[in-house]
Amino acid sequence: MATGETGFDDVSFDLISVQYHSLKAGHDYGQYVRDAKNAGRDDIASFFEKIMAEDSARAKQCHEFLAQLSGSSESGPALT
């Protein structure tokens, strides 16, 4: 796999990007849940909790893929 300016192969970089954005979104959704609950909108709070759980699962899957790539010749010099 080709490595870019970062030293990471494209797939590893993409996984790291998705993981970061999923974790960041999950952090933000916590505030959205509180806002919805404070507004008395438990239905909307439940929606935010659902997407927060989905992003958490997405971040976990990225972590597992990155662990598989870590140290492999596919990962590029930044992960080997």
Side-chain angles (χ1 to χ4, degrees), residues 4-32:
E5 302 80 37
T6 64
F8 289 87
D9 68 282
D10 291 341
V11 172
S12 295
F13 182 88
D14 296 346
L15 286 167
I16 291 166
S17 180
V18 169
Q19 184 181 41
Y20 168 80
H21 290 288
S22 295
L23 291 170
K24 174 71 172 110
H27 178 268
D28 295 343
Y29 296 151
Q31 181 62 51
Y32 303 166

Side-chain angles (χ1 to χ4, degrees), residues 22-55:
S22 295
L23 291 170
K24 174 71 172 110
H27 178 268
D28 295 343
Y29 296 151
Q31 181 62 51
Y32 303 166
V33 169
R34 288 187 294 278
D35 292 345
K37 286 184 177 183
N38 288 339
R41 294 302 308 257
D42 289 338
D43 56 338
I44 295 173
S46 293
F47 168 73
F48 289 136
E49 288 170 337
K50 177 182 174 247
I51 59 175
M52 187 167 46
E54 291 169 356
D55 270 328

